[in-house]
Amino acid sequence: MKILGILVLCFAAVQPAWAQEQGPEQLVQRITDEVMAAIQSDEKLAAGDKARVLQLAEQKVLPHVDFEEATRLAVSRAWSRASAEQQKALVTEFRAMLLRTYTNAIGTYAGTQAKLLPTRGRPEGEARGSEATVRYQFSRSGGKPVLVAYEMRKTGVGWKIYDISVEGMSLVLTYRTEFDGVLKQEGIDGLIKRLAQKNTSTKLAL
């Protein structure tokens, strides 16, 4: 869960209107700077206060994530077989699961330093048309640096993140492997039920 936590930790901080005016690198940099500043300046947030974390996520983080695209990729071939109602339910539960991971992990990263890295083979953060990859390095004093790559796509409302990799481990592919087993055994409704049960149990624990 620690790797999944850092995967969703740095999705935060600009208003959606600003996001439309920024390229992928500028958006991720501002997001990262604002999240790290919030953790360092708010003791309750750094300590993992769930109410503070939820507020930060809902207001600053979630508007910059393409949950439908992330869910589609995580569910893979089953997505095309799902009804519109099932697709909506999958996106809702996947969103809730990522939010749960975020609330459990954010306090772990107080004191972490973030550094934007050049994009290999082209200027930093340059987009490939409607696609872009932005790379960051996260480190703590005395610890090994962690490489994070943000996969982004340009939408009608600006650039959005649909996948993150930590040291080459993709968030979407990690969940795809987990979801695939459930889909084979229990089908789409079974996956929705499993996710809903996990999310509900977490809410009761808050």
Side-chain angles (χ1 to χ4, degrees):
M1 290 303 293
K2 186 175 182 179
I3 289 180
L4 292 178
I6 199 170
L7 282 168
V8 295
L9 176 64
C10 302
F11 284 169
V14 298
Q15 297 301 319
W18 294 356
Q20 296 181 43
E21 302 171 1
Q22 294 181 308
E25 178 195 66
Q26 291 75 30
L27 176 60
V28 174
Q29 186 168 22
R30 191 177 187 96
I31 284 170
T32 303
D33 290 347
E34 292 286 347
V35 169
M36 302 307 288
I39 294 172
Q40 292 171 9
S41 63
D42 189 325
E43 292 183 1
K44 289 186 177 181
L45 185 61
D49 181 276
K50 296 194 183 301
R52 292 289 183 92
V53 176
L54 287 170
Q55 183 180 29
L56 174 66
E58 292 287 355
Q59 294 180 354
K60 307 284 190 175
V61 179
L62 304 186
H64 307 293
V65 183
D66 189 339
F67 286 105
E68 182 170 332
E69 180 68 4
T71 306
R72 183 185 71 81
L73 293 172
V75 175
S76 190
R77 289 175 294 179
W79 181 260
S80 62
R81 302 196 303 268
S83 67
E85 183 178 353
Q86 288 173 321
Q87 289 179 354
K88 183 178 180 180
L90 285 167
V91 173
T92 297
E93 297 302 337
F94 192 56
R95 179 184 185 276
M97 183 175 64
L98 292 180
L99 180 59
R100 170 166 54 87
T101 303
Y102 184 92
T103 59
N104 289 335
I106 193 169
T108 306
Y109 301 98
T112 300
Q113 301 297 315
K115 178 184 178 182
L116 178 67
L117 300 178
T119 301
R120 295 191 184 97
R122 62 183 188 278
E124 295 183 8
E126 182 179 323
R128 302 185 297 272
S130 61
E131 299 280 337
T133 302
V134 179
R135 300 187 308 136
Y136 256 86
Q137 179 177 280
F138 293 87
S139 59
R140 188 191 300 274
S141 179
K144 181 181 177 181
V146 177
L147 177 64
V148 178
Y150 297 82
E151 299 298 333
M152 305 179 70
R153 64 192 291 263
K154 194 171 186 178
T155 73
V157 292
W159 287 93
K160 294 204 174 205
I161 300 165
Y162 67 86
D163 192 17
I164 303 180
S165 296
V166 173
E167 295 294 335
M169 180 181 293
S170 162
L171 174 71
V172 164
L173 294 182
T174 297
Y175 280 121
R176 181 185 293 178
T177 300
E178 178 182 337
F179 292 172
D180 186 59
V182 179
L183 287 165
K184 287 179 179 178
Q185 296 294 323
E186 303 175 33
I188 295 169
D189 285 334
L191 176 59
I192 294 170
K193 183 178 179 180
R194 286 280 196 97
L195 293 175
Q197 288 174 339
K198 286 184 179 180
N199 291 330
T200 299
S201 64
T202 303
K203 287 179 183 178
L204 292 174
L206 295 180

